[in-house]
Amino acid sequence: MKLTSNSAVVSPEAAVGGSELNSTRSFSLSQARERFERILETMAEAENNSKNKSIDEHRAPWWQVMCLTGVDYFSTLGYQPGIAILAAGQISPQATLVLIAVTLFCALPAYFVVARESPHGQGSVQMLERQFKGWKSKSMVLILLGFVITAFIFTITLSTADATAHILENPILFSEPNHALRVPITILLIMSLTAVFFRGFKEAIKIAVAVVAIYLALNLVVIGSSAMQIFQDPNQFTDWLNRANHNYPSPILLLGAALIVFPKLALGLSGFETGVAVMPLVEGKNTDSEECPRGRIENTRKLLLSAALIMSVFLIGSSFVTTISIPESLLQEGAAANGRALAYLAHQNLGSIFGTVYDLVTITILWFAGASAFTGLLTIIPQYLPRYGMAPDWTALRIPLALIIGAFSIIITIIFGANVDVQAGPYATGILIMITSAAIAAYLSIPKEAVAKKLYFLFVSTVFAYTSIANMIQQVDGLLISLAVVAIILVGSFIYRSIRSTELRIKSVKLDDNSMRFIKEATKGHWGEIRILAHKPNDSDYEGKEEDARYIHSIQTKEGKFIFLEVETDDTSEFIDDEMDVHGLMIDGYRVLRCKSHSVSNALAAVLLEIRNRTGKVPHVYLRWTEGHPIAYALKFVFFGEGETASLTREILRSAEWDDSRRPIVHAA
């Protein structure tokens, strides 16, 4: 007597239609996809070889690599002094002193710890990632990445916009500034940056050393000559001091005001994350190993300390001379000194020829700062989004990712009209969140036994938390823009992960001897069908599960025995399994295959395809529809790439095997 069937077969024929047209289309699409994948694999292999060779051949002394960091850090002198005056007014030098204290006594110690804990350039994001597990870790990293990407993108757009301001305000190039050209010129600068990364950036350090040396020397001349003029005319200094004393009659009021406004000067902290990102380029010692590169860590600390000290001297010097020498009216949007305070002084005090030379070098280093940010994005994005399944694998390749970064930067430039002042808010917000995360990561990495250090980094974390919150309150637009970028990354990443969830993402499957014996035994006899029955781990009722499956799917005992397959999930937030081991066990006379994976559906599909490849026979898998509301599973699929096991398994198999005659068959009831 044949058992009554209540099952539904999720068959390839039902979905594909079985028509010749669909078969031909599937075959041609399969060929196209395979060719595209081969092209990407070739590009990835060439890029990895080039990258490894580049790192080995282009390691340099720490002071040279400091210049690569400096194109981002030191270039802020192009716009920082003017923004500081607009933010702090006549107490800009005092607020800058607070910024310097925070730099040397808070940011620098935090990044010393980051350098020690991430000597291969992973930075504070990976330090925090190690502190958490599962979706908490992924979500936190994605949020931080949103702010990191905000900081780097606005480094590109703000630096190139400021370079454009120096071009338009130069009296030799333009008799009068043509602000209608601001956006087109900035876009051209961004396009040229993007083009650079089509060919790589091998000579970056040599160029950076020359540019930074010339730029700092010119700034020293401009600041020095301006300071001499101030001291030759003491009235300027006295007038400024009187105005400051009138507004803030006591030192306590002055300090309080400086503490309140200094978060707006946070652009002067922009170089630390880049300093850690370039660590792989820093020469270490002969005794260094990949696991413990102590020499590289020591030299990176020298890099960070030297950069911070140099920048501190230039920050206070530039703030002092620009605040006293330039009226605030000339720093407003559209005015002669807007976005170029030191350049304005160079032209005023040293003449048009020197001023033009200063402009050209400033334009170069600002453009180069954008390149530095490009490098940061090309480094950090491939470390996370593709690994989480939240971006295509090809985003790990330099050229496609550079195109995306360039396009996004152009969109931001158009939206903000290449305005330096408007972009300062989101830029500062991104920088402060990055530094706050570094301080927190440093705090968490300190052992509990080191009580004094623990308390110190708790204080540092509190300082940067206050600075970040104060900046967000003072520049709400910067926070809103940063949150918009974070939201785009979060929603886009989760949706893309759901799309990629139908990919077969287990790279290899290893079947042990018992597993292969069970499978070979199933192929013998009259029927010779391989029937895999999905089974929950820790459920010992194999007899009841088999009887239930035979009844539902109408399978007689003589048609063969089931092989149970149990998948134990560990961290479902992980995306890729490099290798999955399958172990065969006999339990109460039943054949059981056991494995561990991040995804049940992917594990089932991978095992079925491996069995097909080993035996040449198309296996069957039997599953139950999961209990629960379909909307809940739809939302779970959209946001986490998980959902109904039967449907997902079938989709993964369809994506992995386009030939329906060779595709394992999924039965669900």
Side-chain angles (χ1 to χ4, degrees):
M1 178 179 177
K2 194 171 182 67
L3 297 172
T4 305
S5 174
N6 299 316
S7 67
V9 179
V10 188
S11 65
E13 292 78 14
V16 177
S19 69
E20 185 179 348
L21 177 62
N22 281 340
S23 298
T24 305
R25 183 179 297 164
S26 296
F27 179 71
S28 60
L29 286 174
S30 177
Q31 281 187 325
R33 186 179 69 167
E34 288 175 2
R35 287 176 183 174
F36 181 65
E37 287 175 350
R38 282 199 298 270
I39 291 169
L40 290 179
E41 286 173 4
T42 303
M43 287 176 66
E45 185 178 353
E47 187 164 314
N48 285 333
N49 292 336
S50 173
K51 191 182 296 181
N52 293 334
K53 184 178 179 183
S54 176
I55 290 174
D56 291 337
E57 290 183 355
H58 293 275
R59 283 205 173 106
W62 64 266
W63 60 270
Q64 292 184 3
V65 182
M66 181 193 70
C67 294
L68 186 60
T69 304
V71 297
D72 176 16
Y73 197 14
F74 303 146
S75 67
T76 57
L77 292 170
Y79 46 83
Q80 166 81 8
I83 290 175
I85 297 171
L86 290 176
Q90 294 302 308
I91 62 167
S92 173
Q94 290 87 340
T96 301
L97 282 173
V98 175
L99 176 66
I100 290 169
V102 171
T103 298
L104 297 178
F105 300 108
C106 295
L108 191 60
Y111 277 93
F112 274 9
V113 176
V114 173
R116 184 190 69 205
E117 296 295 326
S118 60
H120 303 293
Q122 306 97 324
S124 58
V125 175
Q126 193 173 78
M127 288 174 65
L128 288 172
E129 182 187 29
R130 293 198 296 260
Q131 298 289 333
F132 303 96
K133 299 289 184 183
W135 283 112
K136 286 183 180 179
S137 173
K138 303 294 184 296
S139 300
M140 181 207 63
V141 168
L142 286 172
I143 291 169
L144 284 177
L145 277 181
F147 286 105
V148 171
I149 291 170
T150 300
F152 281 133
I153 287 290
F154 278 94
T155 299
I156 296 169
T157 58
L158 188 145
S159 297
T160 49
D162 197 47
T164 300
H166 283 76
I167 293 171
L168 293 177
E169 293 288 346
N170 184 277
I172 293 178
L173 296 175
F174 294 92
S175 56
E176 287 188 10
N178 185 352
H179 295 293
L181 295 175
R182 189 162 62 181
V183 171
I185 291 175
T186 305
I187 290 174
L188 284 175
L189 290 174
I190 292 172
M191 290 173 66
S192 68
L193 274 178
T194 308
V196 165
F197 286 92
F198 275 46
R199 296 184 58 85
F201 213 54
K202 292 183 179 179
E203 304 303 319
I205 292 177
K206 292 179 182 178
I207 298 171
V209 170
V211 171
V212 166
I214 296 169
Y215 182 68
L216 291 180
L218 291 176
N219 273 288
L220 196 61
V221 172
V222 173
I223 294 170
S225 64
S226 300
M228 285 179 64
Q229 288 197 14
I230 291 170
F231 290 120
Q232 287 171 1
D233 182 9
N235 290 332
Q236 291 186 70
F237 178 77
T238 305
D239 289 344
W240 165 73
L241 203 57
N242 289 336
R243 287 195 301 271
N245 290 335
H246 176 74
N247 294 328
Y248 307 98
S250 76
I252 295 175
L253 284 175
L254 182 62
L255 178 61
L259 287 170
I260 291 171
V261 299
F262 103 89
K264 293 183 178 180
L265 280 61
L267 301 180
L269 291 165
S270 66
F272 284 101
E273 197 72 27
T274 312
V276 174
V278 298
M279 276 190 74
L281 297 175
V282 177
E283 277 184 357
K285 296 179 180 178
N286 295 332
T287 55
D288 282 4
S289 64
E290 270 313 287
E291 297 75 22
C292 186
R294 290 186 179 180
R296 185 193 305 166
I297 294 169
E298 182 182 329
N299 287 336
T300 301
R301 288 179 170 179
K302 292 177 184 176
L303 179 158
L304 294 170
L305 176 61
S306 300
L309 290 173
I310 292 169
M311 191 59 176
S312 296
V313 171
F314 278 93
L315 278 174
I316 190 60
S318 62
S319 175
F320 177 76
V321 299
T322 53
T323 303
I324 294 174
S325 303
I326 304 176
E328 285 188 44
S329 60
L330 292 178
L331 293 162
Q332 302 298 323
E333 183 180 353
N338 180 251
R340 53 185 296 275
L342 288 174
Y344 175 83
L345 291 179
H347 282 275
Q348 287 293 109
N349 299 337
L350 298 165
S352 295
I353 295 176
F354 182 91
T356 299
V357 172
Y358 182 86
D359 280 340
L360 290 173
V361 176
T362 304
I363 290 163
T364 303
I365 197 169
L366 286 167
W367 179 86
F368 214 71
S372 176
F374 250 97
T375 304
L377 288 169
L378 291 171
T379 300
I380 199 166
I381 290 175
Q383 288 186 31
Y384 296 100
L385 294 183
R387 177 161 61 90
Y388 290 176
M390 293 175 169
D393 288 334
W394 52 260
T395 56
L397 302 178
R398 185 185 70 249
I399 292 176
L401 185 54
L403 283 172
I404 293 173
I405 295 167
F408 195 56
S409 300
I410 289 171
I411 292 169
I412 293 293
T413 295
I414 294 170
I415 291 172
F416 291 97
N419 188 306
V420 175
D421 298 330
V422 176
Q423 295 180 76
Y427 181 31
T429 300
I431 289 170
L432 285 171
I433 294 295
M434 287 165 62
I435 297 178
T436 303
S437 70
I440 294 171
Y443 167 75
L444 293 173
S445 68
I446 300 296
K448 293 181 180 179
E449 297 77 21
V451 178
K453 284 187 178 180
K454 200 81 173 171
L455 288 173
Y456 180 75
F457 282 106
L458 178 61
F459 166 74
V460 170
S461 301
T462 304
V463 168
F464 282 117
Y466 154 74
T467 308
S468 300
I469 294 168
N471 176 74
M472 293 173 191
I473 293 171
Q474 294 167 4
Q475 303 187 78
V476 179
D477 58 333
L479 173 62
L480 295 176
I481 293 163
S482 299
L483 290 177
V485 175
V486 171
I488 291 169
I489 289 171
L490 281 173
V491 175
S493 295
F494 280 117
I495 291 175
Y496 195 81
R497 171 151 175 149
S498 73
I499 295 170
R500 291 196 68 187
S501 291
T502 58
E503 294 179 8
L504 183 66
R505 52 186 197 260
I506 296 172
K507 294 181 179 178
S508 68
V509 176
K510 282 190 175 181
L511 299 168
D512 69 1
D513 293 340
N514 281 342
S515 302
M516 284 307 302
R517 179 166 59 83
F518 297 161
I519 293 164
K520 287 178 181 177
E521 288 173 356
T523 60
K524 296 176 182 178
H526 176 70
W527 297 94
E529 296 289 353
I530 303 170
R531 304 183 190 277
I532 303 296
L533 181 56
H535 188 247
K536 290 182 179 180
N538 304 319
D539 182 357
S540 59
D541 187 15
Y542 295 101
E543 182 180 359
K545 186 64 178 280
E546 181 168 337
E547 288 179 357
D548 189 43
R550 287 188 183 280
Y551 173 77
I552 292 173
H553 297 286
S554 188
I555 298 173
Q556 306 289 342
T557 306
K558 64 182 179 180
E559 294 181 59
K561 294 184 177 181
F562 286 102
I563 300 174
F564 291 84
L565 176 56
E566 299 176 353
V567 181
E568 180 185 345
T569 55
D570 39 21
D571 184 357
T572 57
S573 70
E574 289 294 328
F575 191 72
I576 295 174
D577 281 306
D578 290 327
E579 185 176 272
M580 187 174 71
D581 295 318
V582 181
H583 304 284
L585 304 167
M586 286 294 295
I587 302 177
D588 299 331
Y590 294 94
R591 298 172 175 84
V592 181
L593 303 182
R594 284 181 176 169
C595 59
K596 183 181 287 188
S597 174
H598 303 312
S599 165
V600 173
S601 301
N602 244 273
L604 292 174
V607 171
L608 292 169
L609 290 169
E610 183 67 17
I611 291 171
R612 191 276 316 271
N613 294 340
R614 295 282 192 101
T615 63
K617 293 183 68 67
V618 175
H620 298 249
V621 65
Y622 300 86
L623 301 114
R624 294 293 301 269
W625 296 115
T626 310
E627 295 293 332
H629 200 285
I631 293 178
Y633 282 107
L635 291 173
K636 193 175 182 182
F637 178 78
V638 168
F639 289 106
F640 300 106
E642 304 165 14
E644 170 58 53
T645 303
S647 301
L648 268 178
T649 303
R650 197 260 172 193
E651 278 303 304
I652 292 166
L653 289 169
R654 191 175 69 87
S655 298
E657 178 52 74
W658 289 51
D659 184 352
D660 54 9
S661 65
R662 301 187 69 244
R663 189 184 304 148
I665 300 172
V666 178
H667 304 260

